Amino acid sequence: MVAPRSVVVKRLLILLTIAAAGCQQGLISSSPRPSPTPSALSACPAGTAAPVGPQVLLRNLPAPDDLAFDASGRLLFGDIKAGTVSALRIDGSVQRIAGGLSVPEGIVELANGKLLVAEQGRNRIVVIDPASQAVSQWRAFVNRTGQEGIDGIGPELSSISAAPGGLVVPDSPNGVVWRVSLDGKTSTQIGSGMTRPVGAAVDQSGRIFVADEGGAVWTLDPARRRFASLPTPDDVVVGRAGHIFVNTLGDNAIHEFDPQGRQLSMMSGLNQPQGIALDDGDNLYYSESGNGQIARVVRSFILDSPKVTRTTSGTFIICPVVRRAAGFSKPLTLLAPNAPTATLQLVQPGTDSSGALEVQTAEHSVTINVGDGGLLNLSQVVTLP
């Protein structure tokens, strides 16, 4: 016969064993599961096709003149009546950078972000700090001719491997061209014998082009040679593909040449095209001083304002908006931003899409790049919400 006390003890042991097993099962069933993998990104839709022909970007300006792009992709422009230098942002808004200038003409951005601007009314070049809007003299020039002062300036030669450093300055009233050190203190004459040199450009081989209102575009390589004869050239720029563009006031047109001087195209019917510029996609921008407009002709592709979404996990999904010119079908590549931004996912654009990327960063903005893997490349600063 088993003692009643022993039976009770055995029963207690059995109950404790069952309870412990139940606790173990509860622990197993409530263990954390791995976080779900974020869903893969899909390419964002392409923007609508870029307009064919000229597209007016700004209207009703007093007298827009010379144009230039800064490192962030903003279009800088001077206004000779308003006495201002301003920037056109990618979203279409305008920011005034400096005022109180006397006929601001050529514009060049230096590596430190400051701007050099030719003041025709005072025959000098000033340096402008975009952050403080402070204006100070960089270099003054002598003009005893009674003619208007210096017109366009630039480009900076430091980034051209085959050319010596410095800034090209066409001395308009005196008919000569200078190379001036980037501190503005020393100068070397590199061209002479011109009627009124008003703009300059340089190609990748270091050949300098000078627009002369006397009716010629000259090259300095280093001797002066006639590149083209045109009615009152006002400015000249060289594209990434090596093509040369010249705006002319005598026939209100913009002429395109190949590097050998053969004319490829001509856009006519403009109203005093005083300024001309190319972005890094070789898209053409020009000002029409006669009707107060700045316009653009898309030759490859452009980037409109992107769409940015903040996710619940704190990352950002960026949808670029790529708009292609008619007939431009080259494959494009989207490059991820640099450190400290981490790119979590990236989808390349196609002929009918704009690509996409997901990033993680503590920065307030990132810079993305879209290019064809060769000559054409557009960068864009994207503000994060």
Side-chain angles (χ1 to χ4, degrees):
M1 180 176 180
V2 180
R5 185 174 179 178
S6 300
V7 172
V8 171
V9 171
K10 287 182 179 180
R11 288 177 178 175
L12 286 174
L13 289 173
I14 292 171
L15 290 173
L16 287 173
T17 302
I18 294 172
C23 291
Q24 290 295 325
Q25 289 176 358
L27 287 174
I28 294 171
S29 63
S30 62
S31 61
R33 296 179 179 179
S35 300
T37 303
S39 57
L41 276 182
S42 299
C44 302
T48 58
V52 178
Q55 173 194 13
V56 177
L57 303 177
L58 289 176
R59 302 177 188 271
N60 303 318
L61 301 173
D65 204 275
D66 282 353
L67 308 174
F69 280 94
D70 67 7
S72 65
R74 301 183 305 172
L75 180 65
L76 308 174
F77 63 95
D79 193 300
I80 58 176
K81 284 187 179 178
T84 57
V85 171
S86 305
L88 174 62
R89 300 187 181 102
I90 192 170
D91 62 3
S93 63
V94 175
Q95 175 191 3
R96 197 179 88 160
I97 295 175
L101 303 173
S102 180
V103 193
E105 291 279 356
I107 305 171
V108 171
E109 184 187 38
L110 298 176
N112 60 9
K114 294 184 178 181
L115 305 179
L116 295 180
V117 177
E119 249 190 315
Q120 188 178 92
R122 299 186 176 102
N123 201 47
R124 66 174 185 169
I125 298 175
V126 296
V127 59
I128 300 173
D129 184 338
S132 66
Q133 298 190 346
V135 179
S136 58
Q137 181 168 290
W138 184 76
R139 185 180 179 91
F141 294 81
V142 177
N143 179 10
R144 300 188 181 93
T145 66
Q147 300 179 30
E148 292 179 332
I150 59 175
D151 205 303
I153 59 171
E156 181 184 346
L157 298 176
S158 303
S159 61
I160 308 299
S161 60
L167 183 77
V168 178
V169 179
D171 189 343
S172 306
N174 295 303
V176 300
V177 178
W178 304 95
R179 184 177 71 247
V180 183
S181 60
L182 293 181
D183 58 8
K185 294 180 179 179
T186 60
S187 60
T188 303
Q189 184 175 301
I190 58 175
S192 61
M194 304 176 198
T195 303
R196 182 175 169 80
V198 290
V202 64
D203 66 13
Q204 288 299 316
S205 68
R207 183 172 53 160
I208 297 173
F209 296 81
V210 179
D212 184 350
E213 284 188 347
V217 175
W218 307 99
T219 59
L220 307 176
D221 54 355
R224 177 171 62 89
R225 296 184 177 88
R226 184 180 293 268
F227 178 77
S229 296
L230 293 167
T232 319
D234 186 69
D235 206 351
V236 55
V237 293
V238 178
R240 294 173 73 88
H243 291 184
I244 297 92
F245 297 80
V246 185
N247 54 321
T248 47
L249 301 178
D251 58 357
N252 285 309
I254 296 175
H255 303 258
E256 178 187 4
F257 297 88
D258 70 9
Q260 290 72 44
R262 294 184 291 263
Q263 183 154 327
L264 303 175
S265 69
M266 174 181 171
M267 185 167 60
S268 58
L270 306 179
N271 193 336
Q272 292 294 286
Q274 295 277 356
I276 187 173
L278 295 167
D279 65 17
D280 287 339
D282 266 357
N283 300 304
L284 176 66
Y285 295 71
Y286 61 93
S287 65
E288 293 183 272
S289 185
N291 57 14
Q293 295 185 163
I294 294 177
R296 169 179 66 189
V297 176
V298 180
R299 295 162 46 83
S300 59
F301 69 97
I302 53 174
L303 302 178
D304 275 1
S305 296
K307 300 173 184 177
V308 184
T309 304
R310 186 186 182 102
T311 70
T312 55
S313 59
T315 66
F316 301 92
I317 295 177
I318 301 173
C319 273
V321 179
V322 179
R323 301 179 65 191
R324 293 173 176 263
F328 182 81
S329 58
K330 285 186 177 181
L332 295 175
T333 300
L334 173 63
L335 298 181
N338 294 325
T341 299
T343 300
L344 307 180
Q345 298 186 79
L346 188 149
V347 180
Q348 292 298 340
T351 55
D352 58 352
S353 65
S354 292
L357 68 160
E358 182 181 9
V359 300
Q360 188 171 40
T361 182
E363 304 295 312
H364 298 295
S365 65
V366 296
T367 300
I368 61 173
N369 291 272
V370 178
D372 68 348
L375 297 172
L376 308 178
N377 179 76
L378 293 179
S379 63
Q380 186 178 57
V381 177
V382 179
T383 301
L384 303 176

